[in-house]
């Protein structure tokens, strides 16, 4: 900023602004024509629509999705830690409730294991989202005030970019705990459980 303030371009802009405020409107127009092809001179924003955004909704969504996806790929260690943490917690829960049988005690234990299914998927992902949200909030607020994108495009792009992780975590958790606890056998029952746990996680 300091270097720009003493540059020739800044002096030209200050002169142009002072001409607009003074009586030299004709000179200012001539200067504007002179700078019409100057890439550093601010031109009228022809592409801005009535909402105040230069880019369309789809362009904003695509850019946010691409940027969020790159940020996910840039930190593979975080993905590995999340999956390892999920596998360890699932193994712990599976070993506590290992091999339940359908008697009175077994039904109560299965109820407890299902409660842990839901609470683990809920709070593990809530804490992850809170961490990301706190880290990205200043950037989001600055870019939102600059009208670079809408809130809905940011939310959808960020959510879809992280969707593979939020599908993989419930898959790992359910695949480990379901057979260890001895829940109802059958592919359809397993897939129903996986679907519900994935919905809870997301």
């Amino acid at each position: 900023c300091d270097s720009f303030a003493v540059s020739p371009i800044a002096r030209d802009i200050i002169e142009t602004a002072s001409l607009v405020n003074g009586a030299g409107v004709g000179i200012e127009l001539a200067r504007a024509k002179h700078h019409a092809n100057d890439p550093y001179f601010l031109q009228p924003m022809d592409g801005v629509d009535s909402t105040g955004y230069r880019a369309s909704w789809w362009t904003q969504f695509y850019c946010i999705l691409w940027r969020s996806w790159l940020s996910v790929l840039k930190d593979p260690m975080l993905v590995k830690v999340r999956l390892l943490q999920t596998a360890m917690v699932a193994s712990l829960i599976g070993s506590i409730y290992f091999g339940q049988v359908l008697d009175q005690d077994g039904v109560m234990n299965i109820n407890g294991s299902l409660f842990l299914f839901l609470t683990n998927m809920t709070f593990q992902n809530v804490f992850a989202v809170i961490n990301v949200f706190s880290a990205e909030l200043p950037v989001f607020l600055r870019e939102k005030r600059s009208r670079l994108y809408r809130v809905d495009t940011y939310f959808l792009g960020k959510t879809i970019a992280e969707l593979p992780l939020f599908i993989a975590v419930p898959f790992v958790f359910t695949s480990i705990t379901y057979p260890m606890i001895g829940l109802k056998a059958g592919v359809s029952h397993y897939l129903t459980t996986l679907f519900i746990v994935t919905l809870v996680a997301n």
Side-chain angles (χ1 to χ4, degrees):
C1 291
D2 294 336
S3 299
F4 176 76
V6 297
S7 67
I9 297 171
R11 285 197 294 271
D12 284 348
I13 292 173
I14 292 171
E15 290 175 13
T16 303
S18 63
L19 287 173
V20 170
N21 293 331
V25 177
I27 299 173
E28 191 273 336
L29 291 173
R31 183 180 288 273
K33 290 179 182 177
H34 171 71
H35 287 291
N37 296 322
D38 191 344
Y40 298 105
F41 197 79
L42 295 176
Q43 302 296 328
M45 297 176 66
D46 297 327
V48 176
D49 58 7
S50 60
T51 61
Y53 298 98
R54 184 186 289 266
S56 65
W57 190 94
W58 286 107
T59 304
Q60 295 175 32
F61 173 72
Y62 173 77
C63 292
I64 292 294
L65 177 63
W66 179 246
R67 186 176 74 175
S68 301
W69 178 245
L70 288 180
S71 69
V72 171
L73 295 179
K74 192 171 63 177
D75 199 1
M77 183 58 67
L78 179 63
V79 176
K80 293 176 183 176
V81 168
R82 286 285 306 279
L83 293 176
L84 180 62
Q85 176 189 8
T86 302
M88 291 174 63
V89 172
S91 301
L92 178 63
I93 294 174
S95 61
I96 292 173
Y97 293 101
F98 185 79
Q100 296 299 317
V101 293
L102 286 179
D103 55 11
Q104 187 61 41
D105 292 335
V107 170
M108 296 298 293
N109 290 335
I110 288 172
N111 282 336
S113 68
L114 294 178
F115 173 76
L116 287 177
F117 262 66
L118 300 179
T119 54
N120 184 68
M121 283 296 99
T122 301
F123 290 109
Q124 180 182 2
N125 293 298
V126 163
F127 291 143
V129 169
I130 288 174
N131 184 36
V132 171
F133 183 75
S134 301
E136 294 196 359
L137 183 61
V139 176
F140 167 75
L141 290 176
R142 184 177 68 244
E143 294 178 344
K144 175 67 175 67
R145 290 190 189 110
S146 301
R147 301 190 72 77
L148 294 178
Y149 48 75
R150 297 167 173 82
V151 178
D152 56 345
T153 55
Y154 173 81
F155 176 76
L156 289 174
K158 189 74 179 168
T159 302
I160 294 174
E162 296 184 353
L163 191 61
L165 181 61
F166 283 102
I167 292 176
V169 167
F171 175 77
V172 170
F173 184 83
T174 308
S175 299
I176 294 174
T177 52
Y178 197 93
M180 286 183 71
I181 296 171
L183 298 176
K184 192 169 183 178
V187 176
S188 62
H189 303 299
Y190 165 76
L191 292 178
T192 302
T193 306
L194 178 61
F195 177 70
I196 293 172
V197 172
T198 304
L199 285 181
V200 170
N202 283 276

